Amino acid sequence: MMLIPTHHFRDIERKPEYLQPEKCVPPPYPGPVGTMWFIRDGCGIACAIVTWFLVLYAEFVVLFVMLIPSRDYVYSIINGIVFNLLAFLALASHCRAMLTDPGAVPKGNATKEFIESLQLKPGQVVYKCPKCCSIKPDRAHHCSVCKRCIRKMDHHCPWVNNCVGENNQKYFVLFTMYIALISLHALIMVGFHFLHCFEEDWTKCSSFSPPTTVILLILLCFEGLLFLIFTSVMFGTQVHSICTDETGIEQLKKEERRWAKKTKWMNMKAVFGHPFSLGWASPFATPDQGKADPYQASSASNERTSPGSARGAGSQ
């Protein structure tokens, strides 16, 4: 979109007709509080199922190939508890990331009545998304899969069948962290199991036949190595994005920074909650981000630019 000089169209910016609200239908009546968020995307659903299958496969091999047949009961119990706890937290984080509204902007709210109700002052600017017909808050981007504008959208991840945005970034970070941890744990156990089987009789180190045991362990080793690398990279990029308070899309588009700069620690608390606690590592703890207004579209449009720094108006 071409930016329009503010001083020339400042009066037009305040007119609802400039945003073509007549093309927008009023938003549907909001559903009951607590309605589950779920994206009906075939690719995303398939990827989510594959994710669960791979975690359960690792669970099967760790338990029935390595730990249960082991005669070292202390080793089996300790590693079994640790691995199952991490796997449970990984799957719980996956569910929260997939079923949590990432920060969707109310759809179809760019109506004439709503724009007039904002009572925009001279120099204030609002943007309308032409795809979902909503007033876009600052730092919101449209997702073609979710078919909604998402606040602080980082990217759309098919593995969690959802966007990673303002409300579910914590759960996505925990998901990548716990998957990386169980992958590393599984690789370490596979290494010890191979050493044990080489020193002992292969028929005694597993309840399966030696060829089956080798195939199952090699597949687990390949899966663990692949996901350890992938999730570690994702975890690192997410933490970096949080600390710099810049989403993946904003980095990719090299968007001009127009929001207040905060410390890295404040940015971490904004995502994981105030104050620091063990809840940061729990997918069951909903972060308290200190939001002032749940109706972000309205507040964001009222807090737009000052008369001397307006950026343009209309669809974006």
Side-chain angles (χ1 to χ4, degrees):
M1 165 192 166
M2 183 184 302
L3 295 181
I4 305 172
T6 306
H7 66 278
H8 186 68
F9 285 107
R10 185 167 294 167
D11 294 332
I12 299 179
E13 290 168 4
R14 300 167 54 200
K15 296 181 179 180
E17 291 78 7
Y18 187 70
L19 298 177
Q20 298 179 318
E22 67 278 358
K23 294 184 180 180
C24 296
V25 296
Y29 185 80
V33 177
T35 301
M36 184 179 66
W37 172 274
F38 183 75
I39 301 300
R40 294 174 176 84
D41 174 59
C43 177
I45 294 174
C47 289
I49 293 175
V50 169
T51 300
W52 275 68
F53 171 79
L54 291 174
V55 174
L56 295 177
Y57 170 77
E59 185 84 22
F60 169 79
V61 175
V62 167
L63 290 180
F64 295 99
V65 177
M66 293 188 287
L67 296 183
I68 292 179
S70 176
R71 287 172 288 183
D72 189 342
Y73 298 113
V74 175
Y75 172 86
S76 297
I77 292 174
I78 293 176
N79 282 280
I81 292 175
V82 171
F83 187 85
N84 280 277
L85 177 62
L86 293 176
F88 172 74
L89 291 173
L91 293 179
S93 300
H94 182 270
C95 286
R96 291 301 302 271
M98 179 171 59
L99 303 178
T100 299
D101 181 348
V105 177
K107 193 173 184 179
N109 66 351
T111 60
K112 181 177 180 181
E113 293 76 13
F114 178 77
I115 297 172
E116 289 177 342
S117 70
L118 297 178
Q119 298 180 346
L120 300 177
K121 299 177 182 178
Q124 285 186 309
V125 183
V126 292
Y127 290 118
K128 184 195 79 172
C129 176
K131 298 177 181 177
C132 61
C133 222
S134 62
I135 297 297
K136 291 180 65 174
D138 204 12
R139 305 186 70 183
H141 295 85
H142 186 86
C143 174
S144 59
V145 179
C146 297
K147 296 179 174 60
R148 299 286 290 275
C149 284
I150 307 297
R151 297 187 305 274
K152 291 186 69 175
M153 175 182 169
D154 187 87
H155 69 287
H156 183 92
C157 178
W159 296 105
V160 297
N161 188 34
N162 202 359
C163 276
V164 178
E166 184 177 76
N167 295 342
N168 68 342
Q169 189 173 24
K170 170 192 173 179
Y171 309 124
F172 182 76
V173 172
L174 292 181
F175 168 66
T176 58
M177 181 182 74
Y178 287 126
I179 290 294
L181 289 177
I182 64 173
S183 299
L184 178 62
H185 191 195
L187 287 172
I188 293 174
M189 286 190 290
V190 168
F192 279 115
H193 198 74
F194 266 122
L195 291 176
H196 173 70
C197 291
F198 282 135
E199 294 174 357
E200 302 290 337
D201 188 354
W202 273 89
T203 58
K204 297 180 180 179
C205 69
S206 175
S207 55
F208 295 90
S209 64
T212 302
T213 300
V214 171
I215 292 175
L216 291 174
L217 291 177
I218 290 177
L219 289 176
L220 178 60
C221 188
F222 177 75
E223 174 193 342
L225 185 61
L226 180 65
F227 277 90
L228 174 61
I229 296 173
F230 176 72
T231 55
S232 297
V233 172
M234 287 301 300
F235 176 78
T237 57
Q238 286 296 301
V239 172
H240 178 265
S241 295
I242 294 172
C243 290
T244 58
D245 192 20
E246 193 175 21
T247 67
I249 290 182
E250 290 166 349
Q251 294 177 19
L252 185 64
K253 292 184 175 181
K254 298 181 180 179
E255 295 185 358
E256 178 187 355
R257 190 183 187 96
R258 293 181 292 266
W259 53 93
K261 188 174 182 180
K262 297 179 291 186
T263 64
K264 295 179 180 179
W265 184 243
M266 288 299 297
N267 291 331
M268 291 291 288
K269 290 197 292 186
V271 173
F272 290 93
H274 300 268
F276 172 75
S277 66
L278 289 177
W280 280 28
S282 172
F284 303 103
T286 301
D288 179 14
Q289 298 171 333
K291 295 174 184 175
D293 185 2
Y295 201 67
Q296 290 86 348
S298 175
S299 62
S301 15
N302 280 311
E303 294 173 1
R304 280 290 180 177
T305 55
S306 62
S309 59
R311 301 189 301 273
S315 302
Q316 185 187 53

